[in-house]
Amino acid sequence: MAPTIATPISESSNITDFVVTNGNGVKGISEMGLKTLPKQYIQPVEERITVSNILPQESIPIIDMSNWDEQKVSESICDAAEKWGFFQIINHGVPIEVLENVKVATHRFFNLPAEEKRKFSKENSPSNSVRFGTSFSPEAEKALEWKDYLSLFYVSEDEVSALWPSACKDQVLEYMRGSEPVIQRLLEALMKRINVKEIDETKESLLMGSKRINLNYYPICPNPELTVGVGRHSDVSTITILLQDDIGGLYVRGNNDSWVHVPPVSGSLVINVGDALQIMSNGRYKSIEHRVVASGSKNRISVPIFVNPRPCDMVGPFSKVLVEGEIALYKQVLYSDYVKHFFRKAHDGKNTIEFAKI
């Protein structure tokens, strides 16, 4: 049954109360069947995507991981990370059943009543590691994004058991566990290209010392061409492992002001370089702007795993990268400071990386 609201939804304070405070999210607006988009979600013209700036003939690489140990697989991974910062992998070893289960669990969580989801909002959540929210950073945004999310920072299995929502915790944990060998092998390949031959404990902490997983929900939108699901940005992770459904809508930055669609490929995972790896590789690997468009006909979900340094880690170019006299482009930054800088502003393309530039 669609949610009800006593006063006009068009009034700014009512939108905030209904969507954010009361936990209805944009899913609640979508289910009201509005014919026009509330003005709070209308993006400036320059932030919208149009047919004229899409490159239909371009596509990011799709890499078959059937034979992990073959040199050409490692080379394909590194080449894609250098040229595109984005690629898809198939035959990666994560069971299809695990991927399907986490998609079902994502829908199950977002189909909970608003009062259940509200238990995990910023004001009510039992832990800072578990957060249900909407848009990206509503208090900093001039125009809101058409997305609801559940963000889960992995601390321990005990915390997962005690604090993560029962609607999805088992499936999300299984997905995280299943992805670990993929993450390890991807990072090993990427490190060898930049002269880091072995991932010791210190490097492991820097590359993959923490993980955050988001369940993203993009409901049907009345005027999708006027808004965004997610604004243009690059991730602050080392790498991101993204599971998307079959709806489509993810775009990555191509040449100049153009955008390239990342089409859903059954059973695939989308991999992208984050800012932390761009910094550690001294710019050899590129974290690329990407964005999500809203849909006027279908509810879309995606489930990214953000593989990150620990908040307490200092992140800068690896010494092995600079060994032949290459000049450092980035300073050493405390990772938690970098992440706070990202979240205290609206999505703004690649501007976050300026925080670390020398």
Side-chain angles (χ1 to χ4, degrees):
M1 189 170 129
T4 57
I5 185 166
T7 46
I9 193 77
S10 57
E11 294 176 20
S12 181
S13 60
N14 293 330
I15 281 278
T16 304
D17 285 345
F18 180 75
V19 173
V20 181
T21 313
N22 297 336
N24 290 293
V26 283
K27 184 174 185 287
I29 298 180
S30 177
E31 289 174 349
M32 294 177 74
L34 297 183
K35 301 301 182 195
T36 56
L37 187 72
K39 65 178 184 297
Q40 292 82 0
Y41 291 89
I42 297 176
Q43 294 285 332
V45 173
E46 63 272 16
E47 295 301 333
R48 303 176 204 166
I49 201 163
T50 62
V51 174
S52 63
N53 57 10
I54 292 173
L55 284 175
Q57 70 279 13
E58 287 274 15
S59 62
I60 66 169
I62 298 174
I63 301 173
D64 188 338
M65 299 298 205
S66 299
N67 300 305
W68 272 106
D69 298 325
E70 288 187 5
Q71 182 66 24
K72 67 178 183 181
V73 174
S74 291
E75 288 176 1
S76 296
I77 291 166
C78 297
D79 290 347
E82 286 187 15
K83 181 185 176 184
W84 281 97
F86 260 88
F87 53 97
Q88 299 203 63
I89 58 174
I90 56 174
N91 300 318
H92 41 66
V94 184
I96 298 299
E97 183 184 11
V98 170
L99 303 183
E100 292 305 314
N101 286 347
V102 81
K103 286 192 264 189
V104 170
T106 300
H107 280 286
R108 185 162 56 237
F109 174 79
F110 286 102
N111 284 333
L112 291 173
E115 58 269 23
E116 285 297 311
K117 290 181 286 192
R118 194 163 62 236
K119 291 176 182 176
F120 302 100
S121 68
K122 184 177 180 180
E123 295 74 24
N124 302 320
S125 181
S127 166
N128 284 334
S129 303
V130 182
R131 180 72 49 82
F132 167 67
T134 191
S135 193
F136 173 65
S137 187
E139 62 282 355
E141 293 167 320
K142 291 177 181 172
L144 298 172
E145 299 178 351
W146 193 261
K147 180 191 82 168
D148 298 329
Y149 66 87
L150 176 69
S151 184
L152 303 164
F153 183 82
Y154 180 81
V155 175
S156 67
E157 295 211 6
D158 286 344
E159 181 164 299
V160 169
S161 179
L163 300 178
W164 285 18
S166 58
C168 59
K169 64 183 177 185
D170 292 341
Q171 295 77 17
V172 170
L173 187 58
E174 188 180 30
Y175 171 44
M176 287 186 73
R177 285 183 188 140
S179 70
E180 282 174 8
V182 180
I183 293 165
Q184 188 80 33
R185 290 193 144 179
L186 286 169
L187 289 172
E188 284 172 359
L190 291 164
M191 288 302 100
K192 283 177 183 170
R193 173 72 64 97
I194 57 171
N195 298 320
V196 178
K197 305 300 184 192
E198 185 183 350
I199 299 178
D200 57 21
E201 279 189 33
T202 304
K203 297 273 192 317
E204 187 169 316
S205 166
L206 274 167
L207 292 166
M208 51 188 294
S210 71
K211 291 190 184 79
R212 179 183 296 279
I213 186 163
N214 277 16
L215 311 187
N216 295 326
Y217 190 88
Y218 305 92
I220 294 168
C221 180
N223 299 110
E225 71 286 353
L226 299 180
T227 190
V228 295
V230 178
R232 49 192 188 84
H233 70 288
S234 60
D235 294 346
V236 294
S237 57
T238 304
I239 59 172
T240 303
I241 317 294
L242 175 76
L243 172 65
Q244 59 173 344
D245 63 15
D246 60 357
I247 309 300
L250 171 64
Y251 286 81
V252 304
R253 174 75 80 179
N255 297 322
N256 304 316
D257 197 31
S258 61
W259 295 90
V260 176
H261 188 227
V262 181
V265 174
S266 180
S268 75
L269 293 168
V270 181
I271 312 297
N272 66 277
V273 172
D275 288 358
L277 184 56
Q278 178 169 328
I279 292 166
M280 288 186 262
S281 70
N282 203 39
R284 181 83 176 260
Y285 299 128
K286 307 288 194 300
S287 68
I288 300 297
E289 273 183 272
H290 51 287
R291 61 195 301 175
V292 175
V293 300
S295 170
S297 59
K298 293 181 178 178
N299 299 315
R300 178 181 184 267
I301 59 158
S302 68
V303 188
I305 299 174
F306 301 103
V307 182
N308 310 311
R310 296 175 306 171
C312 61
D313 284 328
M314 296 296 294
V315 176
F318 283 142
S319 57
K320 294 275 189 186
V321 179
L322 305 175
V323 74
E324 293 178 9
E326 190 174 318
I327 296 169
L329 302 176
Y330 306 99
K331 59 192 175 187
Q332 295 281 332
V333 294
L334 182 66
Y335 187 64
S336 60
D337 286 347
Y338 191 85
V339 173
K340 284 174 191 167
H341 177 65
F342 176 67
F343 280 107
R344 71 167 62 107
K345 57 190 176 54
H347 280 141
D348 57 358
K350 280 284 293 176
N351 287 348
T352 309
I353 201 85
E354 299 296 322
F355 184 81
K357 280 191 177 173
I358 290 174

